[in-house]
């Protein structure tokens, strides 16, 4: 248990930019028995508990909003099993996503979900937030790979949910309810994950566009090709300017926007599929298309893409990370609306993300703490959420709701649905002590 201020500090912040939340202590648990004990004592003494993976969350899910204890699972970091025949991995929640991917790929297997922070985020955090990433376009998000959980509720009762088999419909999908519940239903202490055979070949291209809107229009051209990229990422000029010269891949000067398109599968025919994507981009207005010539170039390109969030964050005093999703046919319209909102409110936006999914990370970049700056940024956020919902989208694509977006939930969800979700939370945690204050506004 950590109580001294200096060592406690790192447990009081996350990647949301929402600041620091004080807590009494951080408990670095090393076993399910310790999680059970902490949650039993917390209920007895009515102490709030905030579960935490590695704090890479972007909406405040791991921030101790009501003080109490931070329950860190970082020391529960063993890969317990990789079973080639069952295509299953069994891991503890503190295993780093990228570490599992490297371990299974050594055995010719594949764990697709690839949050940008995969070199530092934990699988327990990915489960709590139902994390996504570029490859979600073809392979889906974390939820699709969680077969079963061992999870402990507030009070110390352990649930074994789900299964080890690829299919199973015995009873309600309690596993599915816990995945994405942002640490408010239970604390996962063991995760059974589905694996896939590793794709034999991968091919990647970078398409350069004069501006973001032409790149946005190109997305639908690629989508309608029939080729099924595993990733289709968009980065705008502002994002590229923050990356250029500070990341491994040498990004083309003056690019208005780029698309990264990656396919995988049998080597046979992959090149032809990639060329179709390249042609679609050129027909849509790409001024240059570059195909990654080797694994190193591909690695550099993805490392560059994954640095977007941290580099934008460290380059400004504040970064408000929106994470909206619109129907694929509305991507271009949304890009135009964001541009108009940013101009009207005189705020700087960097937009990048998982264009294939219609999932845009719209980052407002603030360089001072002036009340007017904050007012304009908040106004822009509200208008971005309004525009998203107007285009039949949703306000959270992969980062969750946490503290950052809870005030907007009633804009998207009607009272009966909100009431039902609050009732679900009370079923799992009647005293509202596990990660309290998250997702739903505290006032009815
Ligand atoms: C991205 C950042 C998420 C992360 O860059 O796609 O979702 O894992 C954001 O840092
Ligand atoms: Zn993302």
């Amino acid at each position: 248990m950590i109580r001294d201020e200096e060592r406690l500090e790192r447990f009081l912040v996350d990647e949301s930019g929402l600041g620091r939340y004080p807590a009494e202590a951080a408990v670095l648990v090393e076993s399910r028995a310790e999680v059970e004990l902490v949650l039993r004592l917390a209920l007895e003494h009515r102490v709030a508990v905030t579960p935490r993976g590695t704090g890479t969350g972007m909406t405040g899910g791991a921030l101790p909003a009501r003080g109490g204890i931070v329950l860190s699972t970082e020391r529960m970091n063993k890969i317990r099993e990789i079973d080639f025949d069952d295509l299953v991995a069994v891991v503890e929640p503190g295993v780093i996503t990228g570490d599992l991917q490297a371990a299974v790929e050594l055995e010719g297997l594949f764990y697709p979900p690839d949050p940008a922070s995969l070199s530092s985020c934990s699988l327990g955090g990915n489960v709590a937030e139902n994390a996504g990433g570029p490859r979600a376009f073809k392979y889906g998000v974390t939820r699709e790979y969680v077969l079963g959980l061992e999870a402990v509720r507030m009070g110390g009762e352990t649930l074994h949910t789900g299964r080890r088999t690829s299919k199973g419909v015995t009873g309600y999908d309690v596993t599915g309810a816990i995945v994405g519940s942002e640490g408010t239903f239970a604390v996962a202490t063991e995760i059974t994950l589905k694996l896939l055979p590793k794709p034999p070949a991968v091919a990647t291209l970078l398409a350069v566009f004069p501006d973001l809107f032409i790149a946005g229009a190109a997305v639908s051209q690629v989508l309608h090709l029939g080729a099924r990229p595993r990733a289709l990422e968009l980065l705008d000029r502002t994002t590229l300017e923050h990356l250029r010269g500070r990341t491994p891949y040498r990004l083309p000067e003056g690019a208005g926007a780029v698309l990264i398109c990656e396919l995988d599968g049998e080597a046979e025919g992959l090149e032809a599929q990639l060329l179709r994507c390249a042609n679609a981009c050129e027909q849509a207005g790409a001024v240059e298309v570059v195909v990654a010539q080797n694994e190193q170039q591909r690695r550099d390109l993805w490392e560059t893409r994954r640095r977007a969030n941290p580099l934008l964050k460290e380059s400004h005093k504040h970064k408000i990370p929106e994470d909206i999703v619109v129907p694929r046919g509305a991507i271009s319209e949304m890009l135009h609306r964001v541009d108009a909102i940013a101009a009207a409110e005189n705020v700087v936006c960097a937009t990048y993300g998982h264009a294939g999914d219609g999932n845009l990370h719209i980052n407002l970049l603030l360089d001072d703490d002036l009340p007017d700056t904050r007012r304009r940024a908040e106004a822009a956020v509200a208008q971005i959420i309004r525009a998203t919902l107007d285009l039949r989208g949703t306000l959270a694509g992969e980062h969750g709701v946490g503290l950052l977006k809870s005030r907007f939930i009633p804009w998207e969800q009607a009272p009966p649905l909100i009431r039902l979700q609050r009732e679900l939370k009370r079923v799992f945690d009647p005293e509202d002590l596990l990660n309290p204050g998250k997702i739903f506004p505290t006032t009815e």
Side-chain angles (χ1 to χ4, degrees):
M1 177 182 289
I2 294 176
R3 304 202 66 162
D4 74 275
E5 274 202 19
E6 197 181 329
R7 290 176 59 219
L8 191 53
E9 196 55 31
R10 72 183 178 94
F11 296 98
L12 310 181
V13 294
D14 72 354
E15 282 301 310
S16 64
L18 287 170
R20 171 187 182 280
Y21 284 74
E24 305 296 320
V27 180
L28 284 68
V29 289
E30 298 184 1
S31 69
R32 182 191 82 199
E34 288 185 0
V35 173
E36 290 172 343
L37 178 63
V38 169
L39 293 179
R40 182 166 54 77
L41 293 174
L43 182 60
E44 279 169 22
H45 300 279
R46 294 289 183 280
V47 173
V49 175
T50 302
R52 179 189 180 94
T54 54
T56 59
M58 300 188 59
T59 54
L63 294 177
R66 298 270 173 79
I69 291 172
V70 173
L71 188 157
S72 166
T73 57
E74 65 184 42
R75 287 185 182 165
M76 293 184 72
N77 58 7
K78 289 178 199 56
I79 297 174
R80 291 187 177 165
E81 193 185 341
I82 296 173
D83 188 310
F84 188 87
D85 294 327
D86 289 357
L87 284 172
V88 155
V90 180
V91 301
E92 295 182 345
V95 170
I96 300 302
T97 308
D99 292 350
L100 175 68
Q101 290 173 334
V104 302
E105 289 180 22
L106 286 177
E107 311 209 14
L109 300 175
F110 184 45
Y111 177 70
D114 60 334
S117 54
L118 59 80
S119 59
S120 56
C121 64
S122 69
L123 287 162
N126 293 175
V127 166
E129 300 292 341
N130 187 20
R135 294 193 300 230
F137 181 45
K138 175 174 181 180
Y139 289 104
V141 293
T142 298
R143 176 184 305 288
E144 272 88 15
Y145 296 86
V146 181
L147 296 172
L149 292 171
E150 174 189 86
V152 186
R153 291 173 57 200
M154 181 47 76
E157 179 190 67
T158 293
L159 299 171
H160 289 91
T161 76
R163 61 206 192 263
R164 181 184 175 92
T165 52
S166 67
K167 287 170 73 176
V169 289
T170 310
Y172 289 134
D173 181 8
V174 177
T175 306
I178 295 173
V179 176
S181 60
E182 302 189 29
T184 63
F185 281 8
V187 179
T189 50
E190 183 184 272
I191 307 163
T192 301
L193 293 166
K194 177 175 78 174
L195 301 175
L196 301 177
K198 185 178 176 183
V202 182
T204 312
L205 67 79
L206 177 85
V208 184
F209 293 85
D211 75 36
L212 179 61
F213 310 112
I214 297 173
V219 171
S220 42
Q221 303 279 330
V222 175
L223 292 181
H224 289 97
L225 264 185
R228 188 70 176 146
R230 75 178 186 180
L232 189 54
E233 296 287 298
L234 170 72
L235 296 96
D236 76 352
R237 182 191 303 278
T238 306
T239 307
L240 294 168
E241 284 164 358
H242 282 78
L243 292 171
R244 194 172 288 116
R246 303 161 76 185
T247 50
Y249 190 86
R250 209 174 64 73
L251 291 163
E253 291 295 335
V258 300
L259 285 183
I260 300 172
C261 176
E262 181 162 276
L263 298 113
D264 68 7
E266 293 303 320
E268 180 75 23
L270 199 61
E271 181 98 11
Q273 274 200 61
L274 191 74
L275 285 179
R276 289 176 62 210
C277 293
N279 291 338
C281 290
E282 281 165 350
Q283 281 159 24
V287 294
E288 183 186 7
V289 177
V290 180
V291 175
Q293 297 305 302
N294 53 48
E295 189 51 30
Q296 188 56 51
Q297 279 189 11
R298 184 183 356 273
R299 223 197 299 281
D300 287 350
L301 184 55
W302 281 113
E303 173 54 27
T304 297
R305 158 60 184 87
R306 289 195 178 108
R307 301 274 294 136
N309 176 54
L311 279 177
L312 285 169
K313 190 160 185 286
E314 67 188 53
S315 307
H316 296 274
K317 200 168 179 57
H318 301 293
K319 174 174 88 76
I320 301 175
E322 286 311 316
D323 159 46
I324 58 97
V325 194
V326 291
R328 290 184 171 113
I331 294 171
S332 284
E333 173 61 20
M334 187 64 197
L335 292 171
H336 282 290
R337 292 201 190 188
V338 170
D339 187 55
I341 291 166
E345 294 299 342
N346 186 24
V347 292
V348 177
C349 266
T351 298
Y352 70 89
H354 319 293
D357 295 318
N359 181 191
L360 299 172
H361 297 317
I362 301 161
N363 294 272
L364 282 73
L365 308 175
L366 285 58
D367 289 315
D368 61 51
D369 285 320
L370 297 173
D372 182 57
T373 304
R374 180 58 64 171
R375 181 194 59 75
R376 286 183 285 110
E378 297 294 346
V381 165
Q383 291 169 59
I384 287 166
I385 301 290
R386 285 276 182 226
T388 301
L389 299 176
D390 180 42
L391 292 171
R392 296 183 291 179
T394 183
L395 59 85
E398 54 178 18
H399 296 168
V401 173
L403 289 173
L404 185 74
K405 303 181 188 172
S406 59
R407 70 186 188 281
F408 296 120
I409 284 267
W411 293 16
E412 178 170 341
Q413 297 185 344
L417 179 59
I418 291 175
R419 269 198 305 276
L420 176 67
Q421 294 173 86
R422 283 181 185 281
E423 285 163 23
L424 259 178
K425 162 68 177 173
R426 277 195 286 274
V427 166
F428 278 90
D429 173 22
E431 304 299 326
D432 193 21
L433 289 170
L434 188 59
N435 215 357
K438 305 292 171 69
I439 309 179
F440 298 100
T442 38
T443 49
E444 275 295 334

